[in-house]
Amino acid sequence: MKSTNDESPSLGYDFAGVSIKDGKSKPPAPVICYDGLFGERDVIRIVLLVTTVTLSCLLFYKSANNPLNMVFSPWKTDCYASKLTNESSLKTEPKKEPVSELERVLMNAAMEDNTVIITALNQAWAEPNSTFDVFRESFKVGIETERLLKHVIAVCLDIKAYDQCLKVHPHCYLINATDSDQLSGPNRFMTPGYLKLIWRRMDLLRQVIGLGYNFIFTDADILWLRDPFPRFFPDADFQITCDDYNGRPSDKKNHVNSGFTYVKANNKTSKFYKYWIRSSRKFPGKHDQDVFNFIKNDLHVEKLGIKMRFFDTVYFGGFCQPSRDINVVNTMHANCCIGLDNKVNNLKAALEDWKRYVSLNTTVSETKWNIPPSFLDYGSAIGQKEVKKILVLVLGLAACLLLYKTAYPLHQELDVNNLSSRPLLDHTTSSSPLTRSKSISFREVLENASTENRTVIVTTLNQAWAEPNSLFDLFLESFRIGQGTQKLLQHLVVVCLDSKAFDRCSQLHPNCYYFKTTGTDFSGEKLFATPDYLKMMWRRIELLTQVLEMGYNFIFTDADIMWLRDPFPRLYPDGDFQMACDRFFGDPNDSDNWVNGGFTYVKSNHRSIEFYKFWYNSRLDYPKMHDQDVFNQIKHKALVSEIGIQMRFFDTVYFGGFCQTSRDINLVCTMHANCCVGLEKKLHDLNLVLDDWRNYLSLSEPVKNTTWSVPMKCT
């Protein structure tokens, strides 16, 4: 019996890569548009001949000290690309004399339609082999991007950045800053130096608009892999990239990233930038992106009539959401990455991926970015040098422990906080298989189980639920007999809360992790809302926070949930945090649905990480409540709104339970033994669920009326 899903298959489980049918366009000749605009070959020959003769005459006419300043305009390559610049015009128009150093630099770098490309630099980013060198190299190895370098202005925030810039680039501009020494260092995310740098940049962009120049602003930690002009919307005043794109280019709910913007100089954008900068006073301590999110729906902005568009991450990707198609990607941003060393190393890795792709000279059917995952999460603010020092210290301590325990092998049961990618010591010759399994780090277990897009399925287990013929056996059985679910078992991580649960799990499943907890015994049955139950629930939230911080998306599922169909096609593409319900009232956006934390899908990004930390810390304000009750207490708080996390709530038709059973077995994905207290009751009724499911599978046609045998003992 096939599932009657009506969603797009792109939301399904096919994480192995993206199959691309479009052919990759080879770099075009300077004039001929490669989508066949000219048609017949004889016409093409004539155009080539005329163009060659014209260029030759112009080149002879120009002296060596006044070279030809011409860049051909980007050609229309898709439904919304257009000639956004008019650089191919040979008409020479007199230019006014510059009245300031900024205007002089703008005039020298501008295209014929007064468009410039602007980036900002400080000393740390301008150093040899730092971001600016990688940034410039991307233009040189990109497709149709090297010619754009002559239009790039590097705005330098300190004198040392300016001196270094002049050595490698023709258009450098030094901001006259009395506090430039404060802006010269790495300036980590959200530090006072970082905020000064951001708002200094915004003020300069306001000046650029005031002087009548359109601009692309690009962070220097962005790789330019293809000419982006054909991807710009022709009718928009203000266009901006996204950390996460929801599929709608006009939707202001997209999670923006101001590291790449295309802005047309007009009265609307000039007023908007002034209002944006002025609004920073209302929100002290916030950077430009946050302030943008606060003001984008203001009545004042609406009255300006500024037309905004948001770029698809397929074309303008980043480390938050990498482009899923290297055949069409234009830029790649080191967003969701903290620390200068981390950015540089990951950008170099992405650039190597690009060079390999270009060398193939053909379209690839599967896009895989070889970006090292270690430093892509917001929790990883430690640089590589610090990591090396820590590793040296840890290895030294390990050596001391080895000397101390010469008679016995070191028995390690790693806590989740040990995030090393390998066990500190190798026991392959002296330890049993079980000991080696317990020694594996949590990161390794996640890596082993992860899908291609870094998604894992996580459940927790204690001894009582792991016993033979208990809940864990039923849980695994549901995957084996569900529709499209058996393939998901390889992505399931079972977090074991005691040693006996781990031993039992290791006999049945490959991805088990021993989450050792000192001072509490989690092995027995924990009745709802008892002190040990609460400790177990909050331990779970703590662990899931760690999963997000390591850059993994997850589905968390209680082990008393039966997986009857692949749930991935039923997940919302635009929600950071998605949660099942005890009672669903018809609106997936309504946070007043009665939620159940036993089944959640969460994307790893800065919003979800910040929210989970706030959720976990809020347990101290509500000491006798479990995670669901605390969620209900905090979900409407102002801080949650400021975080900007997008929540969705699942319909019980697809994600049912004993509180509110699915009314359609032809569509149901999961069934949860919620609203049921007691292990024996859960076991009895979940066995009935699987019996109902097997009976359904034996039928040759979908059933018209769904009748479950449950709840029975769980009433």
Side-chain angles (χ1 to χ4, degrees):
M1 192 68 62
K2 293 183 179 178
S3 173
T4 57
N5 296 334
D6 55 2
E7 278 80 1
S8 166
S10 65
L11 303 180
Y13 171 73
D14 187 13
F15 292 110
V18 180
S19 178
I20 304 301
K21 295 181 180 178
D22 309 351
K24 187 188 77 175
S25 300
K26 296 181 180 179
V31 178
I32 302 303
C33 181
Y34 44 89
D35 60 358
L37 289 176
F38 292 96
E40 300 299 322
R41 292 187 178 182
D42 53 345
V43 176
I44 294 175
R45 292 192 186 101
I46 292 169
V47 173
L48 278 172
L49 180 61
V50 171
T51 304
T52 304
V53 172
T54 304
L55 285 175
S56 300
C57 293
L58 285 168
L59 284 169
F60 277 109
Y61 176 75
K62 295 288 183 177
S63 66
N65 293 326
N66 188 17
L68 182 66
N69 184 20
M70 185 178 76
V71 179
F72 294 102
S73 64
W75 293 91
K76 191 171 183 178
T77 58
D78 58 37
C79 60
Y80 60 83
S82 64
K83 281 188 177 182
L84 294 166
T85 60
N86 187 24
E87 299 169 60
S88 58
S89 172
L90 301 179
K91 183 179 178 181
T92 304
E93 296 185 8
K95 292 187 177 181
K96 64 178 182 179
E97 291 297 318
V99 296
S100 67
E101 176 63 13
L102 175 60
E103 195 168 0
R104 183 193 68 77
V105 175
L106 288 167
M107 289 173 65
N108 289 341
M111 302 173 191
E112 289 293 324
D113 72 337
N114 266 16
T115 297
V116 292
I117 301 167
I118 298 175
T119 192
L121 288 180
N122 65 359
Q123 179 187 352
W125 284 39
E127 292 287 344
N129 298 315
S130 193
T131 47
F132 190 47
D133 281 357
V134 181
F135 175 73
R136 292 177 65 255
E137 185 186 356
S138 74
F139 278 83
K140 294 171 184 174
V141 301
I143 296 175
E144 292 296 295
T145 50
E146 187 168 13
R147 61 187 170 84
L148 299 177
L149 259 178
K150 65 177 74 172
H151 303 298
V152 174
I153 298 171
V155 174
C156 304
L157 301 170
D158 60 80
I159 188 64
K160 290 185 178 178
Y162 182 69
D163 291 343
Q164 180 61 30
C165 179
L166 290 175
K167 296 176 184 177
V168 296
H169 191 67
H171 306 306
C172 306
Y173 173 71
L174 176 62
I175 287 183
N176 185 19
T178 57
D179 56 353
S180 64
D181 57 323
Q182 297 178 29
L183 305 179
S184 61
N187 286 315
R188 289 183 182 270
F189 185 69
M190 293 308 296
T191 59
Y194 172 87
L195 294 174
K196 271 190 179 181
L197 186 151
I198 291 296
W199 289 110
R200 184 69 50 79
R201 178 183 87 186
M202 289 291 296
D203 189 58
L204 176 103
L205 296 178
R206 175 194 61 78
Q207 295 177 55
V208 171
I209 294 172
L211 291 169
Y213 288 86
N214 317 309
F215 66 81
I216 295 176
F217 176 80
T218 171
D219 279 341
D221 61 345
I222 292 179
L223 302 179
W224 282 54
L225 306 177
R226 281 187 180 85
D227 177 4
F229 282 93
R231 295 293 177 189
F232 293 161
F233 298 93
D235 58 344
D237 304 303
F238 175 89
Q239 305 179 43
I240 192 168
T241 51
C242 303
D243 284 340
D244 297 293
Y245 178 69
N246 67 14
R248 297 183 292 275
S250 302
D251 189 358
K252 291 182 180 179
K253 293 179 183 178
N254 280 296
H255 303 310
V256 300
N257 187 300
S258 57
F260 189 99
T261 50
Y262 172 60
V263 183
K264 293 178 182 176
N266 56 39
N267 190 46
K268 290 178 283 190
T269 55
S270 178
K271 289 181 178 179
F272 174 67
Y273 265 74
K274 288 176 183 177
Y275 180 65
W276 191 353
I277 294 167
R278 195 164 63 245
S279 297
S280 66
R281 300 169 194 164
K282 298 180 186 176
F283 307 101
K286 299 294 183 182
H287 59 74
D288 57 331
Q289 280 173 218
D290 285 341
V291 175
F292 174 87
N293 286 323
F294 290 135
I295 68 170
K296 63 188 177 184
N297 293 311
D298 281 4
L299 181 61
H300 179 75
V301 176
E302 295 294 329
K303 287 181 178 179
L304 289 177
I306 187 169
K307 200 165 190 178
M308 297 184 181
R309 290 292 181 267
F310 303 90
F311 291 128
D312 192 332
T313 51
V314 170
Y315 308 113
F316 300 89
F319 295 170
C320 299
Q321 194 175 53
S323 169
R324 61 180 182 269
D325 189 355
I326 199 169
N327 302 294
V328 298
V329 67
N330 293 89
T331 63
M332 195 70 161
H333 188 184
N335 50 8
C336 292
C337 182
I338 296 177
L340 181 57
D341 287 345
N342 301 338
K343 285 179 180 286
V344 171
N345 290 331
N346 289 341
L347 286 171
K348 286 180 177 178
L351 202 54
E352 288 303 311
D353 289 337
W354 174 256
K355 290 175 183 175
R356 281 191 290 272
Y357 163 75
V358 171
S359 69
L360 296 174
N361 201 30
T362 187
T363 302
V364 298
S365 61
E366 189 176 28
T367 297
K368 289 184 179 180
W369 295 98
N370 189 33
I371 301 164
S374 311
F375 297 113
L376 293 191
D377 54 276
Y378 270 82
S380 126
I382 301 175
Q384 284 191 331
K385 292 179 181 178
E386 290 86 351
V387 170
K388 288 177 182 177
K389 292 176 182 177
I390 292 169
L391 284 175
V392 169
L393 177 62
V394 170
L395 288 172
L397 289 171
C400 293
L401 285 168
L402 274 175
L403 289 170
Y404 178 73
K405 293 201 171 186
T406 54
Y408 305 98
L410 184 63
H411 185 81
Q412 284 185 315
E413 295 173 342
L414 298 183
D415 197 349
V416 70
N417 294 319
N418 182 352
L419 303 183
S420 62
S421 60
R422 290 289 183 268
L424 296 179
L425 300 171
D426 186 3
H427 300 300
T428 54
T429 59
S430 60
S431 298
S432 66
L434 181 59
T435 303
R436 289 201 305 273
S437 298
K438 281 188 177 179
S439 298
I440 195 169
S441 72
F442 191 41
R443 186 184 294 278
E444 276 188 295
V445 176
L446 294 173
E447 286 176 355
N448 292 339
S450 173
T451 65
E452 289 292 327
N453 78 336
R454 296 177 66 78
T455 298
V456 292
I457 302 166
V458 180
T459 193
T460 53
L461 196 63
N462 67 356
Q463 179 186 350
W465 284 31
E467 292 288 344
N469 300 314
S470 191
L471 286 175
F472 188 49
D473 285 359
L474 287 180
F475 179 68
L476 295 178
E477 175 68 9
S478 73
F479 277 85
R480 296 187 187 107
I481 66 172
Q483 291 182 345
T485 50
Q486 186 164 7
K487 63 184 179 181
L488 301 178
L489 271 175
Q490 63 186 312
H491 304 301
L492 172 67
V493 173
V494 182
V495 177
C496 303
L497 301 174
D498 60 80
S499 183
K500 290 184 178 179
F502 178 79
D503 293 347
R504 168 75 172 145
C505 178
S506 299
Q507 297 170 14
L508 304 174
H509 189 68
N511 301 315
C512 304
Y513 176 71
Y514 181 20
F515 190 30
K516 185 179 180 183
T517 303
T518 56
T520 304
D521 179 13
F522 286 138
S523 61
E525 180 184 358
K526 304 302 176 190
L527 294 179
F528 184 76
T530 60
D532 279 351
Y533 174 88
L534 295 179
K535 284 183 182 178
M536 192 163 68
M537 291 300 102
W538 289 113
R539 194 76 166 125
R540 181 177 83 184
I541 296 295
E542 181 186 19
L543 175 122
L544 294 176
T545 306
Q546 297 281 355
V547 174
L548 294 172
E549 287 183 322
M550 285 188 276
Y552 290 92
N553 317 307
F554 66 77
I555 289 180
F556 175 81
T557 171
D558 278 341
D560 61 346
I561 292 178
M562 300 296 98
W563 283 53
L564 306 177
R565 282 187 179 88
D566 178 1
F568 281 93
R570 297 295 178 185
L571 305 181
Y572 297 97
D574 57 347
D576 302 309
F577 175 90
Q578 304 178 37
M579 197 175 201
C581 300
D582 285 340
R583 297 278 177 184
F584 179 73
F585 301 120
D587 183 359
N589 299 305
D590 184 3
S591 58
D592 288 327
N593 284 296
W594 294 358
V595 299
N596 188 299
F599 189 97
T600 52
Y601 170 61
V602 186
K603 295 177 182 177
S604 175
N605 55 44
H606 64 282
R607 294 178 297 279
S608 60
I609 292 169
E610 198 171 343
F611 172 70
Y612 261 75
K613 287 180 177 178
F614 177 59
W615 188 3
Y616 180 73
N617 291 332
S618 296
R619 78 194 190 284
L620 303 175
D621 298 327
Y622 308 97
K624 294 184 179 181
M625 291 186 181
H626 60 77
D627 56 330
Q628 273 175 226
D629 286 342
V630 173
F631 174 86
N632 286 324
Q633 294 292 329
I634 68 172
K635 62 188 178 186
H636 295 303
K637 286 189 177 288
L639 181 58
V640 175
S641 297
E642 288 178 17
I643 290 170
I645 190 165
Q646 196 163 18
M647 296 184 181
R648 294 289 182 271
F649 302 93
F650 293 128
D651 191 332
T652 50
V653 169
Y654 308 114
F655 300 89
F658 295 169
C659 300
Q660 190 176 46
T661 55
S662 170
R663 61 180 180 270
D664 192 347
I665 198 171
N666 303 294
L667 299 174
V668 67
C669 296
T670 62
M671 272 289 273
H672 188 185
N674 50 7
C675 293
C676 183
V677 178
L679 179 57
E680 292 302 321
K681 291 180 180 179
K682 286 179 181 282
L683 283 171
H684 179 272
D685 282 15
L686 286 175
N687 270 298
L688 293 179
V689 169
L690 291 187
D691 287 342
D692 287 343
W693 178 252
R694 292 186 186 97
N695 290 335
Y696 166 75
L697 292 178
S698 68
L699 302 176
S700 58
E701 295 180 358
V703 297
K704 293 181 179 179
N705 297 307
T706 298
T707 303
W708 296 95
S709 302
V710 292
M712 183 177 288
K713 287 194 174 182
C714 288
T715 53

